[in-house]
Amino acid sequence: QVQLVESGGGLVQAGGSLRLSCAASTRTFSSLSIGWFRQAPGQEREFVAASNWRGGTYYGDSVKGRFAVSRDSAKNTVYLEMSSLNPEDTAVYYCAARVGAMVVTSNMYAYWGQGTQVTVSS
């Protein structure tokens, strides 16, 4: 069983930055791939980024070059550094975990956090 808790969301002006955290309660963190997804009102859940236990990362086209994922294995935590934010980034951000490779499909992740709201004002 894996429990995930996101934090770090909030209100930021366009052009600003935020760092989201995803803390995992599990003994198997080193075997997990962590994905970040977001969902805006009335829209489908969108893949944002992912990282695997080897330090590999992958990004969605809409955030490439602006967002960065990192892991702190000592803290069982994955971070999503978001910069150059714009109003289109406004959404609830979720982290998710799966055993195995990074994937971009949300229904292949077995464990989900509760989400954290990110609002970017223009």
Side-chain angles (χ1 to χ4, degrees), residues 54-96:
R54 297 177 182 174
T57 57
Y58 188 75
Y59 298 93
D61 289 341
S62 62
V63 306
K64 210 170 288 184
R66 300 188 298 123
F67 291 12
V69 179
S70 60
R71 297 170 76 111
D72 185 338
S73 296
K75 296 182 179 180
N76 278 15
T77 300
V78 175
Y79 301 100
L80 182 67
E81 299 272 2
M82 308 185 295
S83 60
S84 301
L85 287 163
N86 58 63
E88 290 70 38
D89 296 315
T90 295
V92 177
Y93 283 70
Y94 300 89
C95 66

Side-chain angles (χ1 to χ4, degrees), residues 6-92:
E6 300 101 333
S7 61
L11 175 64
V12 64
Q13 288 188 333
S17 300
L18 277 177
R19 187 178 79 163
L20 305 184
S21 300
C22 174
S25 297
T26 176
R27 296 181 179 179
T28 60
F29 182 77
S30 61
S31 67
L32 297 178
S33 286
I34 302 294
W36 286 95
F37 295 82
R38 65 186 182 185
Q39 189 165 22
Q43 297 187 21
E44 294 187 353
R45 193 163 291 187
E46 176 190 14
F47 170 77
V48 175
S51 74
N52 64 18
W53 65 95
R54 297 177 182 174
T57 57
Y58 188 75
Y59 298 93
D61 289 341
S62 62
V63 306
K64 210 170 288 184
R66 300 188 298 123
F67 291 12
V69 179
S70 60
R71 297 170 76 111
D72 185 338
S73 296
K75 296 182 179 180
N76 278 15
T77 300
V78 175
Y79 301 100
L80 182 67
E81 299 272 2
M82 308 185 295
S83 60
S84 301
L85 287 163
N86 58 63
E88 290 70 38
D89 296 315
T90 295
V92 177

